[in-house]
Amino acid sequence: MKNNFILDCNASEFLMNLLYLLSDREFGWRDPELPEVIQMLQHQFPSVQSNAAAYLQHLCFGDNKIKAEIRRQGGIQLLVDLLDHRMTEVHRSACGALRNLVYGKANDDNKIALKNCGGIPALVRLLRKTTDLEIRELVTGVLWNLSSCDALKMPIIQDALAVLTNAVIIPHSGWENSPLQDDHKIQLHSSQVLRNATGCLRNVSSAGEEARRRMRECDGLTDALLYVIQSALGSSEIDSKTVENCVCILRNLSYRLAAETSQGQQMGTDELDGLLCGDANGKDAESSGCWGKKKKKKKSQDQWDGVGPLPDCAEPPKGIQMLWHPSIVKPYLTLLSECSNPDTLEGAAGALQNLAAGSWKWSVYIRAAVRKEKGLPILVELLRIDNDRVVCAVATALRNMALDVRNKELIGKYAMRDLVHRLPGANNSNSSASKAMSDDTVTAICCTLHEVITKNMENAKALRDAGGIEKLVGISKSKGDKYVLQITLHLFNLSSSYY
Protein backbone atom coordinates (compact mmCIF):
# COMPACT_ATOMS: atom_id res chain seq x y z
CA MET A 1 0.00 0.00 0.00
CA LYS A 2 1.18 3.47 -0.83
CA ASN A 3 0.38 6.10 1.75
CA ASN A 4 -0.09 9.78 1.05
CA PHE A 5 2.03 12.69 2.15
CA ILE A 6 2.46 16.33 1.21
CA LEU A 7 5.48 18.57 1.06
CA ASP A 8 4.28 22.16 0.82
CA CYS A 9 6.85 24.07 -1.21
CA ASN A 10 5.35 27.38 -0.08
CA ALA A 11 6.00 26.79 3.61
CA SER A 12 8.41 29.73 3.81
CA GLU A 13 5.74 31.98 2.33
CA PHE A 14 3.26 30.74 4.93
CA LEU A 15 5.77 31.43 7.64
CA MET A 16 6.32 34.97 6.43
CA ASN A 17 2.58 35.53 6.32
CA LEU A 18 2.32 34.12 9.81
CA LEU A 19 5.00 36.37 11.19
CA TYR A 20 3.58 39.37 9.42
CA LEU A 21 0.16 38.76 10.89
CA LEU A 22 1.52 38.44 14.40
CA SER A 23 3.96 41.39 14.02
CA ASP A 24 7.64 41.63 14.83
CA ARG A 25 6.93 42.85 18.37
CA GLU A 26 5.83 39.34 19.35
CA PHE A 27 8.50 37.26 17.63
CA GLY A 28 11.07 39.74 16.39
CA TRP A 29 10.98 38.14 12.91
CA ARG A 30 12.39 34.89 14.20
CA ASP A 31 11.17 31.38 13.46
CA PRO A 32 8.42 30.52 15.96
CA GLU A 33 8.97 27.57 18.26
CA LEU A 34 6.79 24.49 17.83
CA PRO A 35 4.62 25.21 20.92
CA GLU A 36 4.00 28.70 19.56
CA VAL A 37 2.88 27.37 16.17
CA ILE A 38 0.58 24.86 17.84
CA GLN A 39 -0.89 27.64 19.97
CA MET A 40 -1.60 29.64 16.81
CA LEU A 41 -4.07 26.91 15.74
CA GLN A 42 -6.43 28.51 18.28
CA HIS A 43 -5.87 32.08 17.08
CA GLN A 44 -8.91 34.29 16.52
CA PHE A 45 -7.97 34.97 12.88
CA PRO A 46 -8.68 32.09 10.44
CA SER A 47 -5.75 33.18 8.27
CA VAL A 48 -3.36 32.65 11.19
CA GLN A 49 -4.90 29.27 11.96
CA SER A 50 -4.57 28.22 8.31
CA ASN A 51 -0.96 29.34 8.02
CA ALA A 52 -0.04 27.67 11.32
CA ALA A 53 -1.50 24.37 10.13
CA ALA A 54 0.32 24.73 6.80
CA TYR A 55 3.60 25.36 8.62
CA LEU A 56 3.08 22.24 10.77
CA GLN A 57 2.49 20.32 7.57
CA HIS A 58 5.90 21.48 6.35
CA LEU A 59 7.69 20.86 9.65
CA CYS A 60 6.57 17.24 10.02
CA PHE A 61 7.28 16.18 6.44
CA GLY A 62 9.57 13.15 6.68
CA ASP A 63 10.38 13.85 10.34
CA ASN A 64 8.89 11.28 12.69
CA LYS A 65 10.35 12.98 15.76
CA ILE A 66 8.52 16.21 14.97
CA LYS A 67 5.35 14.24 14.30
CA ALA A 68 5.56 12.62 17.72
CA GLU A 69 6.29 15.97 19.38
CA ILE A 70 3.26 17.59 17.75
CA ARG A 71 1.14 14.76 19.15
CA ARG A 72 2.61 15.13 22.64
CA GLN A 73 1.89 18.86 22.64
CA GLY A 74 -1.77 18.41 21.68
CA GLY A 75 -1.46 19.48 18.07
CA ILE A 76 -3.51 16.60 16.66
CA GLN A 77 -6.54 17.48 18.79
CA LEU A 78 -6.38 21.12 17.69
CA LEU A 79 -6.06 20.15 14.01
CA VAL A 80 -9.04 17.81 14.32
CA ASP A 81 -11.03 20.67 15.84
CA LEU A 82 -10.28 22.75 12.74
CA LEU A 83 -12.04 20.20 10.52
CA ASP A 84 -15.33 21.71 11.72
CA HIS A 85 -14.18 25.29 11.03
CA ARG A 86 -16.34 27.50 8.85
CA MET A 87 -13.51 28.44 6.43
CA THR A 88 -12.43 26.27 3.49
CA GLU A 89 -8.80 27.40 3.68
CA VAL A 90 -8.59 26.23 7.28
CA HIS A 91 -9.99 22.83 6.27
CA ARG A 92 -7.39 22.53 3.51
CA SER A 93 -4.42 23.33 5.75
CA ALA A 94 -5.63 21.19 8.67
CA CYS A 95 -6.17 18.16 6.41
CA GLY A 96 -2.75 18.62 4.84
CA ALA A 97 -1.08 18.64 8.24
CA LEU A 98 -3.04 15.63 9.45
CA ARG A 99 -2.20 13.64 6.34
CA ASN A 100 1.51 14.13 6.93
CA LEU A 101 1.18 13.43 10.66
CA VAL A 102 -0.38 9.98 10.09
CA TYR A 103 1.78 8.91 7.17
CA GLY A 104 3.75 5.67 7.61
CA LYS A 105 3.66 2.62 9.87
CA ALA A 106 6.07 4.31 12.28
CA ASN A 107 3.34 6.78 13.19
CA ASP A 108 0.60 4.45 14.39
CA ASP A 109 0.56 6.32 17.69
CA ASN A 110 -0.49 9.45 15.82
CA LYS A 111 -3.21 7.49 14.04
CA ILE A 112 -4.57 6.21 17.32
CA ALA A 113 -4.42 9.72 18.77
CA LEU A 114 -6.39 11.10 15.83
CA LYS A 115 -9.03 8.43 16.31
CA ASN A 116 -9.22 9.13 20.05
CA CYS A 117 -9.77 12.82 19.28
CA GLY A 118 -12.87 11.99 17.26
CA GLY A 119 -10.92 12.49 14.06
CA ILE A 120 -12.60 9.81 11.95
CA PRO A 121 -16.17 11.15 12.40
CA ALA A 122 -14.83 14.70 11.88
CA LEU A 123 -13.19 13.67 8.59
CA VAL A 124 -16.41 11.97 7.50
CA ARG A 125 -18.46 15.08 8.31
CA LEU A 126 -16.13 17.20 6.23
CA LEU A 127 -16.16 14.73 3.33
CA ARG A 128 -19.94 14.66 3.39
CA LYS A 129 -20.39 18.44 3.26
CA THR A 130 -17.48 19.80 1.21
CA THR A 131 -17.58 20.20 -2.56
CA ASP A 132 -13.95 21.32 -2.81
CA LEU A 133 -12.08 18.67 -4.83
CA GLU A 134 -8.72 19.31 -3.18
CA ILE A 135 -10.19 18.96 0.30
CA ARG A 136 -11.94 15.74 -0.71
CA GLU A 137 -8.58 14.41 -1.93
CA LEU A 138 -6.96 15.40 1.35
CA VAL A 139 -9.69 13.88 3.52
CA THR A 140 -9.63 10.56 1.65
CA GLY A 141 -5.83 10.64 1.81
CA VAL A 142 -5.94 10.94 5.60
CA LEU A 143 -8.40 8.03 5.78
CA TRP A 144 -6.18 5.92 3.51
CA ASN A 145 -3.20 6.54 5.76
CA LEU A 146 -5.24 5.75 8.87
CA SER A 147 -6.46 2.47 7.36
CA SER A 148 -3.00 0.92 7.46
CA CYS A 149 -3.31 0.68 11.26
CA ASP A 150 -5.00 -2.59 12.22
CA ALA A 151 -6.64 -1.07 15.29
CA LEU A 152 -8.47 1.50 13.15
CA LYS A 153 -9.83 -0.73 10.40
CA MET A 154 -13.15 -1.54 12.06
CA PRO A 155 -13.69 2.03 13.32
CA ILE A 156 -13.20 3.24 9.75
CA ILE A 157 -15.72 0.70 8.48
CA GLN A 158 -18.18 1.73 11.15
CA ASP A 159 -17.86 5.50 10.64
CA ALA A 160 -16.71 5.95 7.03
CA LEU A 161 -17.76 2.99 4.86
CA ALA A 162 -21.18 4.33 3.86
CA VAL A 163 -19.93 7.84 3.09
CA LEU A 164 -16.89 6.63 1.14
CA THR A 165 -19.17 4.38 -0.90
CA ASN A 166 -22.01 6.84 -1.54
CA ALA A 167 -20.08 10.11 -1.72
CA VAL A 168 -16.93 8.93 -3.51
CA ILE A 169 -16.82 5.45 -5.00
CA ILE A 170 -20.26 5.25 -6.61
CA PRO A 171 -20.30 8.76 -8.14
CA HIS A 172 -16.65 8.65 -9.24
CA SER A 173 -16.93 5.14 -10.68
CA GLY A 174 -19.65 6.18 -13.12
CA TRP A 175 -21.67 3.09 -12.29
CA GLU A 176 -24.92 5.03 -11.95
CA ASN A 177 -24.28 6.70 -15.31
CA SER A 178 -24.18 3.53 -17.42
CA PRO A 179 -23.53 2.85 -20.22
CA LEU A 180 -19.82 3.66 -20.24
CA GLN A 181 -18.73 6.85 -21.90
CA ASP A 182 -15.19 7.31 -23.20
CA ASP A 183 -14.75 10.75 -21.64
CA HIS A 184 -15.82 9.42 -18.27
CA LYS A 185 -13.39 6.50 -18.53
CA ILE A 186 -10.55 9.00 -18.81
CA GLN A 187 -11.74 10.95 -15.77
CA LEU A 188 -12.38 7.80 -13.78
CA HIS A 189 -8.83 6.71 -13.16
CA SER A 190 -7.36 10.18 -12.98
CA SER A 191 -9.52 10.72 -9.90
CA GLN A 192 -7.23 10.95 -6.89
CA VAL A 193 -10.30 10.87 -4.65
CA LEU A 194 -11.35 7.48 -6.04
CA ARG A 195 -7.79 6.18 -5.78
CA ASN A 196 -7.60 7.21 -2.13
CA ALA A 197 -11.04 5.85 -1.22
CA THR A 198 -10.43 2.46 -2.84
CA GLY A 199 -7.00 2.32 -1.19
CA CYS A 200 -8.64 2.88 2.19
CA LEU A 201 -11.28 0.21 1.64
CA ARG A 202 -8.65 -2.19 0.31
CA ASN A 203 -6.86 -1.99 3.65
CA VAL A 204 -9.94 -2.34 5.82
CA SER A 205 -11.28 -5.26 3.75
CA SER A 206 -8.56 -7.41 5.35
CA ALA A 207 -9.87 -6.82 8.88
CA GLY A 208 -11.69 -10.14 9.21
CA GLU A 209 -15.12 -11.70 8.85
CA GLU A 210 -17.17 -8.84 10.28
CA ALA A 211 -15.41 -6.34 8.03
CA ARG A 212 -16.11 -8.49 4.98
CA ARG A 213 -19.74 -8.90 5.97
CA ARG A 214 -20.34 -5.18 6.31
CA MET A 215 -18.63 -4.41 3.04
CA ARG A 216 -20.51 -7.11 1.15
CA GLU A 217 -23.79 -5.74 2.46
CA CYS A 218 -22.93 -2.12 1.59
CA ASP A 219 -25.37 -1.18 -1.17
CA GLY A 220 -23.71 -0.36 -4.46
CA LEU A 221 -20.13 -1.04 -3.37
CA THR A 222 -19.57 -4.32 -5.24
CA ASP A 223 -21.38 -3.03 -8.32
CA ALA A 224 -19.29 0.14 -8.46
CA LEU A 225 -15.97 -1.65 -7.89
CA LEU A 226 -16.66 -4.14 -10.65
CA TYR A 227 -17.77 -1.30 -12.92
CA VAL A 228 -14.43 0.45 -12.39
CA ILE A 229 -12.62 -2.72 -13.46
CA GLN A 230 -14.80 -3.28 -16.51
CA SER A 231 -14.39 0.32 -17.63
CA ALA A 232 -10.59 -0.06 -17.55
CA LEU A 233 -10.44 -3.19 -19.69
CA GLY A 234 -8.86 -2.54 -23.06
CA SER A 235 -7.38 0.79 -21.96
CA SER A 236 -4.04 1.97 -20.61
CA GLU A 237 -5.71 2.40 -17.22
CA ILE A 238 -5.80 -1.35 -16.68
CA ASP A 239 -2.51 -1.07 -14.76
CA SER A 240 -3.66 1.84 -12.58
CA LYS A 241 -3.55 1.88 -8.80
CA THR A 242 -7.32 2.38 -8.70
CA VAL A 243 -7.95 -0.84 -10.62
CA GLU A 244 -5.42 -2.64 -8.42
CA ASN A 245 -7.27 -1.46 -5.32
CA CYS A 246 -10.65 -2.53 -6.68
CA VAL A 247 -9.42 -6.00 -7.63
CA CYS A 248 -7.83 -6.53 -4.22
CA ILE A 249 -11.02 -5.45 -2.42
CA LEU A 250 -13.07 -7.93 -4.47
CA ARG A 251 -10.51 -10.65 -3.80
CA ASN A 252 -10.84 -10.12 -0.06
CA LEU A 253 -14.64 -10.01 -0.23
CA SER A 254 -14.59 -13.28 -2.22
CA TYR A 255 -12.89 -15.11 0.64
CA ARG A 256 -15.03 -17.75 2.42
CA LEU A 257 -18.23 -16.71 0.68
CA ALA A 258 -19.91 -20.09 1.18
CA ALA A 259 -19.22 -20.04 4.92
CA GLU A 260 -19.93 -16.38 5.60
CA THR A 261 -23.01 -15.59 3.51
CA SER A 262 -26.61 -16.62 4.00
CA GLN A 263 -26.70 -17.95 0.44
CA GLY A 264 -23.83 -20.31 1.18
CA GLN A 265 -25.24 -21.47 4.50
CA GLN A 266 -28.60 -22.36 2.95
CA MET A 267 -27.11 -25.22 0.94
CA GLY A 268 -28.11 -28.67 2.18
CA THR A 269 -26.22 -31.95 2.08
CA ASP A 270 -28.35 -33.38 -0.73
CA GLU A 271 -27.49 -30.42 -2.92
CA LEU A 272 -23.81 -30.81 -2.06
CA ASP A 273 -23.87 -34.51 -2.96
CA GLY A 274 -25.20 -33.67 -6.38
CA LEU A 275 -22.58 -31.02 -7.02
CA LEU A 276 -19.37 -32.60 -5.79
CA CYS A 277 -16.88 -33.35 -8.52
CA GLY A 278 -16.75 -37.01 -7.54
CA ASP A 279 -13.95 -39.51 -7.30
CA ALA A 280 -13.25 -39.83 -10.98
CA ASN A 281 -9.85 -41.30 -11.78
CA GLY A 282 -8.18 -42.18 -15.03
CA LYS A 283 -10.15 -45.40 -15.31
CA ASP A 284 -13.71 -44.31 -14.74
CA ALA A 285 -13.47 -40.71 -15.94
CA GLU A 286 -14.70 -41.72 -19.37
CA SER A 287 -17.98 -42.86 -17.93
CA SER A 288 -18.30 -39.83 -15.71
CA GLY A 289 -20.51 -36.81 -16.03
CA CYS A 290 -19.19 -33.32 -15.77
CA TRP A 291 -18.78 -33.43 -12.00
CA GLY A 292 -18.40 -37.16 -11.39
CA LYS A 293 -20.00 -40.53 -11.96
CA LYS A 294 -23.50 -40.78 -13.39
CA LYS A 295 -25.16 -42.67 -10.59
CA LYS A 296 -28.66 -42.26 -11.91
CA LYS A 297 -30.43 -41.06 -14.99
CA LYS A 298 -31.77 -38.16 -12.93
CA LYS A 299 -29.81 -34.95 -13.40
CA SER A 300 -29.84 -32.13 -10.91
CA GLN A 301 -31.00 -28.82 -12.30
CA ASP A 302 -28.13 -27.19 -10.43
CA GLN A 303 -25.49 -29.05 -12.45
CA TRP A 304 -23.99 -26.73 -15.07
CA ASP A 305 -21.01 -27.47 -17.27
CA GLY A 306 -20.46 -23.99 -18.64
CA VAL A 307 -22.82 -24.45 -21.59
CA GLY A 308 -26.33 -23.07 -21.83
CA PRO A 309 -28.26 -20.95 -19.35
CA LEU A 310 -27.23 -20.96 -15.72
CA PRO A 311 -29.72 -22.67 -13.35
CA ASP A 312 -31.68 -20.42 -10.96
CA CYS A 313 -30.46 -17.23 -12.62
CA ALA A 314 -33.48 -15.67 -14.28
CA GLU A 315 -32.46 -12.16 -13.19
CA PRO A 316 -29.09 -10.45 -13.78
CA PRO A 317 -26.88 -10.52 -10.67
CA LYS A 318 -26.59 -7.42 -8.54
CA GLY A 319 -24.96 -6.42 -5.29
CA ILE A 320 -23.43 -9.24 -3.32
CA GLN A 321 -24.53 -11.78 -5.97
CA MET A 322 -21.98 -10.31 -8.35
CA LEU A 323 -19.17 -11.58 -6.15
CA TRP A 324 -19.84 -15.22 -6.96
CA HIS A 325 -21.79 -15.14 -10.23
CA PRO A 326 -19.89 -16.79 -13.13
CA SER A 327 -20.16 -13.57 -15.13
CA ILE A 328 -17.36 -12.18 -12.95
CA VAL A 329 -14.93 -14.72 -14.41
CA LYS A 330 -14.52 -12.94 -17.74
CA PRO A 331 -13.27 -9.58 -16.38
CA TYR A 332 -10.86 -11.38 -14.06
CA LEU A 333 -9.48 -13.42 -16.96
CA THR A 334 -9.19 -10.30 -19.12
CA LEU A 335 -7.13 -8.67 -16.37
CA LEU A 336 -4.92 -11.75 -16.15
CA SER A 337 -4.29 -11.73 -19.89
CA GLU A 338 -3.87 -7.97 -20.47
CA CYS A 339 -2.58 -6.44 -17.24
CA SER A 340 1.12 -6.01 -16.42
CA ASN A 341 0.71 -4.79 -12.83
CA PRO A 342 1.85 -7.75 -10.67
CA ASP A 343 -0.29 -6.70 -7.71
CA THR A 344 -3.39 -6.68 -9.92
CA LEU A 345 -2.43 -10.06 -11.39
CA GLU A 346 -2.02 -11.50 -7.91
CA GLY A 347 -5.36 -10.02 -6.84
CA ALA A 348 -7.27 -11.37 -9.86
CA ALA A 349 -5.73 -14.84 -9.52
CA GLY A 350 -6.47 -14.74 -5.79
CA ALA A 351 -10.10 -13.85 -6.45
CA LEU A 352 -10.50 -16.85 -8.78
CA GLN A 353 -8.69 -18.99 -6.22
CA ASN A 354 -11.21 -17.96 -3.53
CA LEU A 355 -14.24 -18.39 -5.78
CA ALA A 356 -13.21 -21.85 -7.00
CA ALA A 357 -12.54 -23.26 -3.53
CA GLY A 358 -14.78 -25.87 -1.95
CA SER A 359 -17.96 -27.61 -3.05
CA TRP A 360 -20.47 -24.76 -2.94
CA LYS A 361 -22.57 -24.83 -6.11
CA TRP A 362 -21.29 -21.42 -7.16
CA SER A 363 -17.72 -22.67 -6.78
CA VAL A 364 -18.63 -25.52 -9.11
CA TYR A 365 -20.09 -23.02 -11.57
CA ILE A 366 -16.98 -20.82 -11.36
CA ARG A 367 -14.70 -23.75 -12.19
CA ALA A 368 -16.87 -24.58 -15.21
CA ALA A 369 -16.97 -20.93 -16.29
CA VAL A 370 -13.17 -20.65 -16.20
CA ARG A 371 -12.95 -23.64 -18.52
CA LYS A 372 -15.70 -22.25 -20.79
CA GLU A 373 -13.93 -18.88 -21.07
CA LYS A 374 -10.62 -20.64 -21.87
CA GLY A 375 -9.13 -19.38 -18.67
CA LEU A 376 -6.94 -22.39 -17.89
CA PRO A 377 -4.32 -21.53 -20.58
CA ILE A 378 -4.22 -17.96 -19.24
CA LEU A 379 -3.45 -19.22 -15.74
CA VAL A 380 -0.85 -21.69 -17.01
CA GLU A 381 0.96 -18.98 -18.95
CA LEU A 382 1.24 -16.89 -15.78
CA LEU A 383 3.23 -19.71 -14.15
CA ARG A 384 6.10 -18.58 -16.37
CA ILE A 385 6.28 -15.01 -15.12
CA ASP A 386 9.12 -13.97 -12.85
CA ASN A 387 7.09 -12.92 -9.82
CA ASP A 388 6.91 -15.19 -6.81
CA ARG A 389 3.61 -13.92 -5.39
CA VAL A 390 1.82 -14.11 -8.75
CA VAL A 391 3.06 -17.67 -9.34
CA CYS A 392 1.90 -18.66 -5.84
CA ALA A 393 -1.61 -17.25 -6.39
CA VAL A 394 -1.89 -18.78 -9.87
CA ALA A 395 -0.71 -22.21 -8.67
CA THR A 396 -3.27 -22.21 -5.87
CA ALA A 397 -5.99 -21.10 -8.29
CA LEU A 398 -5.09 -24.04 -10.57
CA ARG A 399 -5.25 -26.37 -7.59
CA ASN A 400 -8.83 -25.29 -6.92
CA MET A 401 -9.72 -25.48 -10.61
CA ALA A 402 -8.52 -29.10 -10.58
CA LEU A 403 -11.34 -30.02 -8.20
CA ASP A 404 -13.36 -30.20 -11.42
CA VAL A 405 -12.80 -33.50 -13.26
CA ARG A 406 -12.49 -31.98 -16.72
CA ASN A 407 -10.23 -29.23 -15.48
CA LYS A 408 -8.01 -31.79 -13.74
CA GLU A 409 -7.49 -33.66 -16.99
CA LEU A 410 -6.70 -30.47 -18.91
CA ILE A 411 -4.30 -29.17 -16.26
CA GLY A 412 -2.51 -32.52 -16.13
CA LYS A 413 -2.17 -32.54 -19.91
CA TYR A 414 -1.17 -28.95 -20.56
CA ALA A 415 0.22 -27.51 -17.31
CA MET A 416 2.30 -30.33 -15.85
CA ARG A 417 5.60 -29.30 -17.41
CA ASP A 418 5.16 -25.68 -16.33
CA LEU A 419 4.33 -26.73 -12.76
CA VAL A 420 7.32 -29.06 -12.54
CA HIS A 421 9.59 -26.49 -14.16
CA ARG A 422 8.88 -24.01 -11.35
CA LEU A 423 10.01 -26.48 -8.69
CA PRO A 424 13.59 -25.95 -7.50
CA GLY A 425 16.08 -28.56 -8.55
CA ALA A 426 18.34 -29.85 -11.30
CA ASN A 427 17.66 -29.69 -15.03
CA ASN A 428 16.09 -26.27 -14.66
CA SER A 429 17.06 -23.81 -17.37
CA ASN A 430 15.86 -20.99 -15.15
CA SER A 431 17.43 -22.09 -11.88
CA SER A 432 17.84 -18.54 -10.57
CA ALA A 433 14.07 -17.97 -10.72
CA SER A 434 13.42 -21.27 -8.94
CA LYS A 435 15.92 -20.47 -6.21
CA ALA A 436 14.19 -17.16 -5.61
CA MET A 437 10.82 -18.83 -5.01
CA SER A 438 9.50 -18.71 -1.48
CA ASP A 439 8.54 -21.76 0.54
CA ASP A 440 4.91 -20.69 0.21
CA THR A 441 5.13 -20.86 -3.58
CA VAL A 442 6.88 -24.24 -3.59
CA THR A 443 4.19 -25.54 -1.23
CA ALA A 444 1.44 -24.13 -3.47
CA ILE A 445 2.89 -25.89 -6.53
CA CYS A 446 3.26 -29.17 -4.65
CA CYS A 447 -0.35 -28.95 -3.43
CA THR A 448 -1.49 -28.34 -7.01
CA LEU A 449 0.48 -31.34 -8.26
CA HIS A 450 -1.01 -33.40 -5.46
CA GLU A 451 -4.55 -32.50 -6.49
CA VAL A 452 -3.83 -33.03 -10.18
CA ILE A 453 -2.41 -36.56 -9.82
CA THR A 454 -4.83 -37.76 -7.13
CA LYS A 455 -6.82 -40.67 -8.61
CA ASN A 456 -5.54 -39.88 -12.08
CA MET A 457 -2.98 -42.30 -13.49
CA GLU A 458 -2.37 -40.33 -16.68
CA ASN A 459 -1.48 -37.20 -14.75
CA ALA A 460 0.83 -39.18 -12.47
CA LYS A 461 2.64 -40.47 -15.56
CA ALA A 462 2.86 -36.92 -16.89
CA LEU A 463 4.49 -35.86 -13.59
CA ARG A 464 7.07 -38.60 -13.98
CA ASP A 465 7.74 -37.82 -17.65
CA ALA A 466 8.22 -34.10 -16.85
CA GLY A 467 11.01 -34.94 -14.39
CA GLY A 468 8.88 -34.29 -11.35
CA ILE A 469 10.00 -37.33 -9.37
CA GLU A 470 13.65 -36.28 -9.47
CA LYS A 471 12.78 -32.79 -8.31
CA LEU A 472 10.61 -34.08 -5.48
CA VAL A 473 13.46 -36.29 -4.32
CA GLY A 474 15.79 -33.30 -4.39
CA ILE A 475 13.38 -31.15 -2.38
CA SER A 476 12.83 -33.92 0.18
CA LYS A 477 16.60 -34.10 0.76
CA SER A 478 17.02 -30.36 1.15
CA LYS A 479 16.92 -28.39 4.38
CA GLY A 480 13.89 -26.30 3.53
CA ASP A 481 10.82 -25.39 5.48
CA LYS A 482 9.40 -28.30 7.49
CA TYR A 483 5.92 -27.94 6.01
CA VAL A 484 7.34 -27.85 2.47
CA LEU A 485 9.17 -31.09 3.17
CA GLN A 486 6.02 -32.74 4.55
CA ILE A 487 4.01 -31.78 1.47
CA THR A 488 6.82 -32.89 -0.86
CA LEU A 489 7.21 -36.28 0.83
CA HIS A 490 3.45 -36.84 0.76
CA LEU A 491 3.34 -35.96 -2.94
CA PHE A 492 6.35 -38.20 -3.65
CA ASN A 493 4.72 -41.12 -1.85
CA LEU A 494 1.47 -40.59 -3.72
CA SER A 495 3.18 -40.46 -7.11
CA SER A 496 5.28 -43.53 -6.26
CA SER A 497 2.17 -45.53 -5.41
CA TYR A 498 1.21 -45.57 -9.09
CA TYR A 499 4.32 -47.50 -10.12
Side-chain angles (χ1 to χ4, degrees), residues 51-127:
N51 282 314
Y55 191 53
L56 288 177
Q57 170 187 322
H58 164 70
L59 286 177
C60 68
F61 171 72
D63 192 328
N64 290 335
K65 290 183 178 179
I66 291 291
K67 293 178 184 181
E69 189 59 32
I70 292 173
R71 181 189 73 248
R72 283 192 289 267
Q73 296 191 26
I76 291 179
Q77 176 69 73
L78 296 176
L79 288 166
V80 168
D81 292 342
L82 293 180
L83 297 177
D84 290 314
H85 200 278
R86 67 184 187 279
M87 301 293 292
T88 298
E89 281 303 316
V90 176
H91 296 157
R92 184 176 292 110
S93 298
C95 286
L98 287 172
R99 189 157 75 161
N100 277 8
L101 282 166
V102 297
Y103 171 72
K105 289 297 291 183
N107 295 294
D108 278 3
D109 287 343
N110 281 8
K111 298 170 188 177
I112 298 294
L114 188 148
K115 182 260 184 185
N116 291 340
C117 293
I120 297 175
L123 289 164
V124 171
R125 287 194 300 271
L126 181 56
L127 180 61

Side-chain angles (χ1 to χ4, degrees), residues 186-234:
I186 296 174
Q187 297 173 11
L188 173 65
H189 302 295
S190 62
S191 168
Q192 184 69 35
V193 182
L194 182 62
R195 181 177 182 267
N196 293 347
T198 54
C200 175
L201 293 190
R202 173 182 178 177
N203 284 343
V204 301
S205 66
S206 65
E209 182 175 348
E210 179 62 15
R212 292 191 294 271
R213 184 189 66 79
R214 291 197 182 197
M215 294 181 70
R216 289 169 185 150
E217 294 176 356
C218 185
D219 289 342
L221 178 59
T222 299
D223 309 71
L225 294 173
L226 186 56
Y227 193 81
V228 171
I229 294 171
Q230 291 172 325
S231 72
L233 300 179

Side-chain angles (χ1 to χ4, degrees), residues 153-366:
K153 291 181 178 180
M154 284 307 300
I156 289 174
I157 287 179
Q158 180 177 347
D159 293 330
L161 174 60
V163 174
L164 285 172
T165 299
N166 296 316
V168 178
I169 293 178
I170 290 178
H172 283 261
S173 71
W175 168 56
E176 291 184 324
N177 299 321
S178 298
L180 286 174
Q181 298 176 356
D182 289 339
D183 58 340
H184 180 75
K185 289 173 68 174
I186 296 174
Q187 297 173 11
L188 173 65
H189 302 295
S190 62
S191 168
Q192 184 69 35
V193 182
L194 182 62
R195 181 177 182 267
N196 293 347
T198 54
C200 175
L201 293 190
R202 173 182 178 177
N203 284 343
V204 301
S205 66
S206 65
E209 182 175 348
E210 179 62 15
R212 292 191 294 271
R213 184 189 66 79
R214 291 197 182 197
M215 294 181 70
R216 289 169 185 150
E217 294 176 356
C218 185
D219 289 342
L221 178 59
T222 299
D223 309 71
L225 294 173
L226 186 56
Y227 193 81
V228 171
I229 294 171
Q230 291 172 325
S231 72
L233 300 179
S235 77
S236 60
E237 300 299 335
I238 197 170
D239 291 319
S240 70
K241 188 69 176 182
T242 299
V243 170
E244 175 192 324
N245 289 337
C246 292
V247 171
C248 290
I249 294 170
L250 292 175
R251 173 195 59 193
N252 291 344
L253 299 188
S254 300
Y255 180 64
R256 289 177 54 83
L257 278 170
E260 295 179 359
T261 62
S262 58
Q263 292 85 348
Q265 294 167 0
Q266 288 170 359
M267 176 176 287
T269 54
D270 292 340
E271 186 179 12
L272 283 174
D273 291 340
L275 291 168
L276 288 171
C277 292
D279 294 331
N281 56 24
K283 181 178 179 180
D284 60 20
E286 295 180 357
S287 62
S288 298
C290 177
W291 314 122
K293 297 181 180 179
K294 293 181 179 178
K295 296 182 179 179
K296 297 181 180 180
K297 187 176 181 180
K298 178 183 177 181
K299 180 180 179 181
S300 169
Q301 291 183 347
D302 286 329
Q303 291 180 334
W304 181 69
D305 60 359
V307 179
L310 196 64
D312 302 327
C313 285
E315 300 292 331
K318 59 182 179 179
I320 191 174
Q321 299 170 348
M322 301 181 77
L323 288 173
W324 60 70
H325 193 275
S327 61
I328 204 172
V329 166
K330 194 166 185 177
Y332 283 150
L333 292 177
T334 303
L335 283 171
L336 291 172
S337 61
E338 296 181 0
C339 182
S340 61
N341 181 339
D343 292 326
T344 302
L345 292 175
E346 181 190 1
L352 290 177
Q353 166 195 329
N354 288 340
L355 292 172
S359 54
W360 190 30
K361 75 173 182 179
W362 293 104
S363 299
V364 175
Y365 294 165
I366 290 291

